[in-house]
């Protein structure tokens, strides 16, 4: 039924109105309601031109209930989240390029918080949210329909994010620090498969001790968890073998139990950071034929 409404909406979309009218025609009812609640309807109907990454009703329905309720209650937060879906000017999909960052209407201390656009083959994502329909023309702008609600990315880079989340990444932080990789991980953009403390705890204690004492081996293992570029989960495909910074490849498997990287399960995908993305994994990855010296593995 939802799909049908959506398709009917598309047919009606031929007669373009302003952004709010077009969003209504596209069937984005929740978006229009929230934009109205946040007091942004006038701006989006009469201002512009704007480019809007408009989430579907389904995208809002996928949000945890507490978050949706909080957005409905807190109008300032709601307006911030919605502004984060809007950039100034008309930007068509043909003008989007990989790793493009575009300033949104949301500002933090006077600075625009940027949306990051990534392109995987033909697939466009905005902050990891797949764009399911591009280039819908309104009189005062353009709408790209996304299937996930975007939240402003935390203004943290990879090392800061790991440091902030010691509860689950303290071993990883220790390892990264011992291998002198903090500076490297401030660069990028990188995709980091981040093993949790539980993942490191699965490595036999004596082995972990030796690994932490051998910087060469440790560097090999850690850089085997890093891929160049920002690869959100939407950009991963089954059977793909991305090359790691260490040099060897990891294998991506996408199946009924989610996304696997070699033998590690992705517990949480798409933790956006300023210089890439982190996917949290439950097992430490070891390069093929890895040998850290006598007595290790
Ligand atoms: C919207 O307008 C642009 C520029 O004129 C055009 O390239 C695009 O195809 C239009 N979109 C649709 C869905 O017709
Ligand atoms: C340290 O690790 C490297 C690379 O894995 C290995 O070749 C070397 O033998 C190890 N050194 C010691 C002292 O175990």
């Amino acid at each position: 039924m939802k799909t049908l409404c959506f398709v009917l909406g598309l047919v009606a979309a031929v007669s373009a109105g302003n952004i709010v009218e077009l969003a209504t025609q596209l069937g984005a009812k929740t978006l229009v309601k929230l934009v109205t609640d946040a007091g942004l309807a006038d701006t989006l109907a009469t201002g512009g031109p704007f480019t809007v990454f408009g989430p579907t009703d389904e995208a809002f329905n996928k949000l945890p209930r507490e978050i949706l309720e909080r957005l409905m209650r807190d109008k300032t937060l709601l307006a911030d989240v919605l502004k984060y879906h809007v950039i100034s000017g008309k930007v068509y999909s043909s003008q989007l390029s990989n790793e493009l960052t575009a300033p949104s209407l949301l500002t933090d201390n006077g600075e625009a918080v940027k949306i990051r656009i990534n392109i995987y083959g033909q697939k466009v994502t905005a902050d990891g949210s797949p764009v399911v329909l591009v280039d819908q023309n309104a009189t005062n702008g353009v709408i790209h329909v996304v299937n996930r609600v975007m939240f402003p990315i935390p203004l943290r880079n990879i090392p800061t994010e790991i440091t902030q989340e010691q509860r689950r990444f303290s071993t990883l932080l220790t390892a990264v620090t011992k291998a002198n990789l903090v500076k490297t991980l401030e660069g990028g953009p990188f995709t980091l498969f981040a093993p949790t403390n539980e993942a490191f705890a699965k490595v036999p204690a004596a082995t972990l001790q030796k690994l932490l004492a051998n910087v060469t081996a440790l560097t090999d293992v850690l850089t085997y968890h890093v891929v160049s570029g920002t690869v959100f989960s939407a950009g991963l495909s089954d059977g793909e073998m991305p090359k790691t910074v260490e040099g060897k490849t990891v294998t991506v498997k996408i199946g009924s139990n989610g996304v696997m990287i070699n033998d590690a399960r992705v517990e949480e995908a798409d933790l956006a950071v300023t210089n890439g993305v982190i996917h949290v994994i439950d097992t430490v990855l070891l390069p093929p034929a890895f040998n850290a010296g006598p007595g290790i593995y």
Side-chain angles (χ1 to χ4, degrees), residues 138-151:
T139 49
N140 63 333
V142 59
I143 299 182
H144 305 299
V145 179
V146 291
N147 77 358
R148 217 172 65 193
V149 179
M150 308 190 291
F151 285 88

Side-chain angles (χ1 to χ4, degrees), residues 89-143:
K90 263 194 202 184
V91 187
Y92 286 108
S93 58
S94 59
Q95 295 165 286
L96 298 173
S97 58
N98 203 18
E99 302 278 3
L100 174 81
T101 53
S104 69
L105 296 197
L106 172 66
T107 55
D108 180 47
N109 294 323
E111 287 217 27
V113 183
K114 290 171 179 165
I115 300 178
R116 194 170 36 201
I117 315 291
N118 281 86
I119 299 179
Y120 308 110
Q122 303 287 24
K123 273 189 279 183
V124 180
T125 63
D127 269 354
S129 304
V131 175
V132 290
L133 186 68
V134 296
D135 300 338
Q136 300 300 302
N137 290 301
T139 49
N140 63 333
V142 59
I143 299 182

Side-chain angles (χ1 to χ4, degrees), residues 22-23 39 65 79 93 115 132 170 174 184 196 209 235 246 249 256 283 293:
L22 177 61
R65 197 191 176 80
S93 58
I115 300 178
V132 290
S170 61
T174 304
T184 308
T196 58
Q209 287 303 316
E246 187 264 347
T249 59
S256 49
T283 304

Side-chain angles (χ1 to χ4, degrees), residues 158 162 172 185 190-194 222 225-227 277-279:
I158 291 174
I162 294 172
L172 177 61
L185 290 176
F190 290 127
T191 300
L192 171 69
F193 300 108
L222 291 173
H225 289 76
V226 182
V227 170
V277 64
I278 296 176
H279 304 296

